[in-house]
Amino acid sequence: MAQLRGLWKDVLATVLLSIAYFVTARLGLLMDAVAGFATLVWPPTGIALAALLLVGRRLWPGVLAGALCANLFAGASLPVALAIAIGNTLEALAGSWLLRRLAGFDPRLERIHDVLSLILLGAISSTAISATVGVVSLELGGTIGPSMSWPTFRAWWFGDMLGDLVVAPLLFVLVSRPPLARRRFLVAEAVALTALLAGCSLLVFADVQQEGGLLRQSYVIFPLLLWAALRFGQYGAVTGAFLVSAISIASTAMGAGPFVRGTLAESLLYLQTFLAVSAVTALTVAAAIAERSRAVIARDEFLAIASHELRTPLTALLLHIQGQLRSLRRNEPLGERQEALHQLESTQRMALRLAKLIGELLEVSRIVWGRFQPDREEVDLAALVHESLARQEQQLLRANCPVHLEVEGAVRGHWDRGRLDQVVDNLIGNAAKYGAGKPIEVRLRGRAEGVLLEVRDYGIGIDPADQARVFDRFERAVSRKQFGGFGLGLWISRKIVEAHGGSISLLSEPGAGSTFSVELPRSA
Ligand code: ADP
């Protein structure tokens, strides 16, 4: 039943996409299309990219149908219309595939990486497919001669590019970002800014007399777009760029503004260059601001966690020491030898925990500042694992985790002993922490190309959505209240393993446990 409902939703989404594609394509083709087909205003490219990326590539028939109908209506023969539509569909499929698979694109456009990927992979590369297929089809169909190939290609490419730079970001941001906080002052500022941006765009672009004038220059728009990006982030950037595009295209089409040239196609070519630069500038500024504020939030969160994490064992440690000192000062008997030993052991545990936390913090600064070179010597990984298990014996006993160790083949190599100690301690420590009450399996395998270390637990496991990010700095997939920790252990382990030319990976299922695998080449 749910499957059927999903299918209907997909069919509906495909039909809506084809209608949106068709309507916006018709609008674009009204704009003095070069050779009747290559228009400089082509919003459907952006709509198709956003739909395939946000909903799924399975919606591609919507692009094909919309493009086919639009080209048939524009007077193309069936084979030519079909070939052009296939080009348009390939463009959307390639764009969404490249962005998702190759660039790990996030449609919220909060990282400069996402903006650059959209420009390079979407706007510049994927659009070249449709322009090439389109121009070749028109040539083969006899609609254009060789002399028209380049102007047609250029118009096609630019039009599609602008769709990806102005229309797609608007849809990405509106659909994938959480709504802005509705503070009264911000709403008033947004209204004032929109009015100002619209007013200035009209002043600059709808200047019918084409008198020019001091303030009637296109660059007047830039400070306003920057204001929008600085204060309203991605929302400001995409809506600002869209508003300016809509007003300037309409004005230029009516023969007004600074970009008017001999023909509408030529005017639009100049205007689109300006719009592409504006959109890219606004999107990049907004992403840079978002990156900075994320860094500040991460730093503040880290400071909060660090002070909490460091204070808890320190307070407990002080209490213990004070208790022991008090009994000594009162000259009371220290109690049974066993009791005294027990107290000292727990004091030692706390001190070790503190030392580990401080060690992690020191390691972060070393890694961040690039002062991190493995100091290689001959190491037997089996002996190293035995030592780690001995070091963590108490912790493993308390967590009630029996450990099974299996060694197969020779597991020697040239590695940094101290650093590998850290990796093994981290993985076994995490297995005990997140897999308490269940066994832990440690497997070592010597192969020709290197050594494999596997640490498997049967604990809480990690949700698939979190599996990649737990290897990043400060990233955690558990609540602070449930489990202590900085979220640094796996990041440090990954950095150490990578510095040895190896890799670390994870297989996990929530509730069933996790297996961390480290592959280490025997030497550099
Ligand atoms: P910490 O344990 O200090 O939070 P780590 O970098 O060692 O930091 O681990 C990052 C996150 O990965 C943890 O917060 C936890 O959510 C998850 N994690 C690590 N190891 C395991 C494991 N063996 N089982 C389940 N979750 C784990």
Side-chain angles (χ1 to χ4, degrees):
M1 188 64 194
Q3 240 175 354
L4 202 66
R5 212 174 306 139
L7 186 71
W8 273 115
K9 267 193 192 161
D10 281 352
V11 172
L12 185 67
T14 308
V15 172
L16 286 178
L17 173 60
S18 66
I19 295 173
Y21 200 101
F22 176 75
V23 172
T24 49
R26 293 294 304 155
L27 265 178
L29 287 169
L30 290 179
M31 301 275 174
D32 189 21
V34 177
F37 294 94
T39 168
L40 277 137
V41 181
W42 194 250
T45 289
I47 296 176
L49 180 70
L52 265 55
L53 215 134
L54 292 170
V55 184
R57 286 195 288 278
R58 59 187 183 282
L59 298 194
W60 66 265
V63 181
L64 189 75
L68 181 66
C69 294
N71 285 298
L72 284 175
F73 262 76
S77 64
L78 183 63
V80 171
L82 192 63
I84 293 177
I86 290 174
N88 288 333
T89 312
L90 286 178
E91 166 188 89
L93 281 170
S96 54
W97 185 87
L98 284 172
L99 283 171
R100 268 272 187 253
R101 288 293 159 94
L102 200 70
F105 179 75
D106 181 339
R108 287 173 297 180
L109 295 173
E110 278 179 343
R111 302 172 302 176
I112 293 183
H113 166 84
D114 298 320
V115 175
L116 288 182
S117 312
L118 180 67
I119 298 170
L120 295 175
L121 302 177
I124 295 180
S125 306
S126 73
T127 50
I129 300 177
S130 158
T132 309
V133 174
V135 171
V136 170
S137 316
L138 289 177
E139 271 199 52
L140 291 179
T143 314
I144 57 170
S147 64
M148 278 306 285
S149 302
W150 170 239
T152 313
F153 179 86
R154 189 175 56 184
W156 204 302
W157 198 24
F158 264 59
D160 285 16
M161 217 180 270
L162 259 287
D164 275 357
L165 289 178
V166 175
V167 180
L170 183 76
L171 297 173
F172 284 147
V173 171
L174 291 185
V175 173
S176 61
R177 276 188 68 80
L180 278 179
R182 281 211 195 162
R183 271 175 282 149
R184 204 175 302 162
F185 178 74
L186 270 187
V187 174
E189 187 180 342
V191 172
L193 178 57
T194 311
L196 207 57
L197 197 56
C200 275
S201 301
L202 286 170
L203 194 73
V204 172
F205 297 107
D207 169 21
V208 187
Q209 287 92 35
Q210 295 173 28
E211 280 168 351
L214 217 51
L215 280 177
R216 294 184 165 180
Q217 307 293 336
S218 51
Y219 49 72
V220 169
I221 301 298
F222 275 92
L224 296 173
L225 277 182
L226 292 184
W227 174 4
L230 287 172
R231 294 283 297 164
F232 299 96
Q234 284 74 8
Y235 276 112
V238 297
T239 46
F242 187 77
L243 185 67
V244 174
S245 302
I247 294 176
S248 60
I249 290 172
S251 307
T252 308
M254 288 189 277
F259 294 104
V260 172
R261 300 288 186 279
T263 63
L264 176 54
E266 204 187 334
S267 316
L268 287 173
L269 193 63
Y270 281 87
L271 171 65
Q272 297 293 46
T273 313
F274 166 78
L275 290 179
V277 174
S278 319
V280 165
T281 309
L283 285 173
T284 313
V285 169
I289 304 271
E291 276 188 1
R292 272 191 58 164
S293 49
R294 258 203 324 281
V296 171
I297 291 171
R299 188 199 61 195
D300 291 350
E301 256 176 24
F302 170 69
L303 287 177
I305 294 176
S307 50
H308 171 264
E309 284 293 313
L310 291 174
R311 201 154 9 133
T312 314
L314 194 61
T315 313
L317 185 63
L318 283 173
L319 284 176
H320 259 256
I321 294 174
Q322 280 162 4
Q324 286 171 357
L325 278 176
R326 215 175 300 128
S327 1
L328 278 173
R329 286 208 185 103
R330 277 196 211 127
N331 227 357
E332 283 172 5
L334 260 180
E336 298 288 322
R337 194 179 130 76
Q338 195 60 32
E339 168 71 7
L341 196 66
H342 181 70
Q343 286 212 355
L344 272 176
E345 271 172 1
S346 99
T347 310
Q348 186 192 29
R349 257 198 322 273
M350 288 166 199
L352 282 175
R353 179 161 157 66
L354 256 182
K356 179 174 180 286
L357 290 174
I358 292 168
E360 280 188 350
L361 290 179
L362 279 176
E363 204 65 62
V364 174
S365 67
R366 254 184 238 133
I367 295 175
V368 167
W369 294 107
R371 277 176 271 151
F372 184 59
Q373 280 299 320
D375 195 359
R376 292 174 188 269
E377 60 184 300
E378 166 120 30
V379 178
D380 178 0
L381 201 54
L384 201 126
V385 169
H386 275 295
E387 283 161 27
S388 170
L389 290 174
R391 257 196 312 277
Q392 306 196 64
E393 192 186 357
Q394 291 296 323
Q395 189 188 343
L396 289 162
L397 269 175
R398 250 177 305 126
N400 193 16
C401 291
V403 180
H404 304 287
L405 173 63
E406 199 184 296
V407 184
E408 199 186 292
V411 290
R412 290 178 163 276
H414 278 87
W415 303 306
D416 184 323
R417 178 186 296 277
R419 293 277 155 67
L420 274 200
D421 263 342
Q422 267 176 292
V423 174
V424 175
D425 280 0
N426 267 332
L427 296 184
I428 296 178
N430 276 352
K433 183 165 152 191
Y434 300 109
K438 310 257 171 61
I440 297 173
E441 291 160 15
V442 182
R443 234 170 258 128
L444 285 170
R445 286 210 182 105
R447 296 170 176 164
E449 62 286 2
V451 174
L452 175 75
L453 159 71
E454 265 181 16
V455 179
R456 174 171 196 175
D457 67 63
Y458 293 87
I460 59 171
I462 304 176
D463 196 276
D466 298 320
Q467 288 180 12
R469 72 174 177 88
V470 289
F471 291 102
D472 285 339
R473 195 160 36 145
F474 304 136
E475 291 290 354
R476 313 195 66 223
V478 284
S479 89
R480 223 163 93 187
K481 291 197 191 88
Q482 247 183 318
F483 295 97
F486 283 152
L488 287 173
L490 287 181
W491 178 69
I492 293 171
S493 302
R494 175 168 69 86
K495 290 284 179 189
I496 293 174
V497 172
E498 285 173 356
H500 282 84
S503 63
I504 181 166
S505 58
L506 161 67
L507 264 181
S508 180
E509 210 182 303
S514 316
T515 306
F516 286 88
S517 309
V518 173
E519 301 213 33
L520 280 173
R522 289 186 198 269
S523 59

